[in-house]
Amino acid sequence: MTASSTPQEIPAATLDIVAIGNAIVDVLARSEDAFLAQHALTKGGMQLIDAAMAETLYADMPQAKEISGGSAANTLAGLAALGKKCGFIGQVNDDQLGAVFAHDIHALGIRFDTPVMHGQVPTARCLILVTPDAQRTMNTFLGASQFLPEAAVDFDLIRSAKILYLEGYLWDPEQPRAAMRAAIDAARGAGRKVAFTLSDNFVIDRHRGDFIDLIDQGMIDILFSNEGEIQSLAQIDDFDKALSRFADKVPVLVSTRSEKGAVAMVDGVRHEAPAATVAQIVDTTGAGDLFAAGFLAAHIDGRSVEDALALGAAAAAEVISHWGARPEADLGVIRDALFA
């Protein structure tokens, strides 16, 4: 499979969205602040760890449960729950956690055919510690996912989807970054839209130049961020000014602001929506991922920007009301009630 294709060879869109991201299994445990301090972990943050620290931290963690995760895969889980046809490209090892990830994503009806990696680099895992205030501290060992090669990317699959969705976290390692660049070229060549999520400030700090170049070149149609990320990208300590920095370069620019709701700049016009009400916040893992799912589902359906923001907020509210980054309630029911 190659990234090049003539227009005559481009198939009609048969999928709504294909995502490229880390194929990760989340390991979640409740934790006290003292445990974070003991292990010198920054509360509420995300850090990359090596195999040795992953083993040590896992051994010290309280009782935990395993749930397939990964930012883009979480977004697809939400989209699939909302009836969208999805495909995922990401790499696991031929090991137990790899089998868990593949089983879970197939069970959602998501196409996942990326060849497994063989050898001693295990499937990625994210060790997540959730404190009593519902803050999650993520410690990620990227494992096999960070070695996704361009050769493993199904470019026909990318051309078959209306939207290519890229996870910023996976831009950090060299091989997946090259694969994602080729995927962007394939999507743009097929006249498809490209959506990108910035993921985290540490990714922006390392690759700000790349991201701004993609934006300046008109390669990004839909950009997702949170308040801190868009300010980091713009290097402006003012949210409104940071949005304005990119509003005329990205057709759809979406930024979440936690309890302050979310803002979307669409063709330069600002739209705002409040956060959805949550009876109890249990675990904020996946809030941004599910917001993107709700927003994209409404966007694909041709709904208004206000509807897209509202469905994003509702999906995010569902996922933070329980443990784990995948929806448990029926998002279709939530959507139908919201738009009744």
Side-chain angles (χ1 to χ4, degrees):
M1 292 173 289
T2 64
S4 62
S5 177
T6 64
Q8 291 77 14
E9 296 171 336
I10 297 169
T14 55
L15 295 178
D16 292 304
I17 191 159
V18 167
I20 302 179
N22 282 307
I24 296 178
V25 176
D26 291 339
V27 182
L28 296 102
R30 297 186 186 277
S31 168
E32 299 297 328
D33 289 348
F35 183 89
L36 303 183
Q38 176 187 347
H39 290 271
L41 303 176
T42 301
K43 183 176 179 177
M46 198 290 282
Q47 67 169 336
L48 296 178
I49 58 176
D50 58 20
M53 184 171 180
E55 183 176 334
T56 298
L57 188 58
Y58 179 72
D60 288 350
M61 284 176 68
Q63 183 177 358
K65 68 175 182 176
E66 297 171 351
I67 307 172
S68 290
S71 177
N74 292 337
T75 297
L76 290 188
L79 281 158
L82 288 164
K84 300 306 164 202
K85 297 178 180 178
C86 305
F88 180 71
I89 297 170
Q91 186 165 252
V92 298
N93 193 294
D94 185 20
D95 56 15
Q96 182 178 357
L97 287 184
V100 168
F101 183 90
H103 171 272
D104 288 352
I105 202 163
H106 285 143
L108 295 169
I110 296 170
R111 182 171 169 182
F112 175 51
D113 307 316
T114 310
V116 298
M117 181 180 189
H118 299 279
Q120 297 187 357
V121 181
T123 295
R125 71 283 317 268
C126 184
L127 308 179
I128 303 174
L129 297 155
V130 184
T131 42
D133 58 0
Q135 287 294 308
R136 82 283 185 273
T137 302
M138 300 187 294
N139 306 276
T140 305
F141 170 58
L142 291 173
S145 67
Q146 66 185 317
F147 297 105
L148 175 73
E150 182 178 338
V153 176
D154 185 340
F155 292 103
D156 286 336
L157 183 68
I158 289 169
R159 284 187 285 264
S160 76
K162 297 173 184 175
I163 297 174
L164 170 66
Y165 181 80
L166 302 175
E167 176 184 325
Y169 284 128
L170 199 58
W171 196 266
D172 201 47
E174 181 178 355
Q175 284 183 276
R177 182 164 65 251
M180 292 166 88
R181 285 190 181 279
I184 291 172
D185 289 342
R188 303 298 299 187
R192 309 307 191 197
K193 291 183 178 180
V194 176
F196 196 99
T197 178
L198 291 173
S199 293
D200 196 277
N201 284 352
F202 91 87
V203 180
I204 298 167
D205 288 341
R206 290 165 63 91
H207 303 285
R208 181 179 289 105
D210 280 355
F211 297 162
I212 290 177
D213 284 346
L214 289 173
I215 292 169
D216 287 344
Q217 292 167 19
M219 295 294 185
I220 306 300
D221 300 289
I222 306 169
L223 182 67
F224 289 97
S225 71
N226 63 29
E227 184 172 10
E229 290 160 1
I230 197 66
Q231 290 179 193
S232 175
L233 184 66
Q235 293 187 289
I236 298 172
D237 192 22
D238 181 285
F239 177 68
D240 293 329
K241 291 180 180 178
L243 280 181
S244 298
R245 165 77 169 77
F246 303 107
D248 62 344
K249 297 182 178 181
V250 180
V252 180
L253 173 58
V254 185
S255 189
T256 57
R257 309 184 75 189
S258 299
E259 72 280 358
K260 292 181 284 186
V263 176
M265 299 290 292
V266 178
D267 296 327
V269 178
R270 183 179 178 122
H271 306 260
E272 295 190 48
T277 302
V278 184
Q280 181 182 8
I281 299 176
V282 176
D283 172 17
T284 56
T285 309
D289 303 334
L290 268 294
F291 182 94
F295 187 95
L296 286 169
H299 179 78
I300 290 168
D301 286 341
R303 287 189 171 272
S304 67
V305 180
E306 287 75 17
D307 281 354
L309 288 169
L311 187 54
E318 190 285 329
V319 82
I320 66 176
S321 69
H322 58 76
W323 271 49
R326 301 278 174 93
E328 292 183 356
D330 189 328
L331 293 186
V333 172
I334 292 173
R335 174 200 57 210
D336 293 345
L338 184 67
F339 296 145

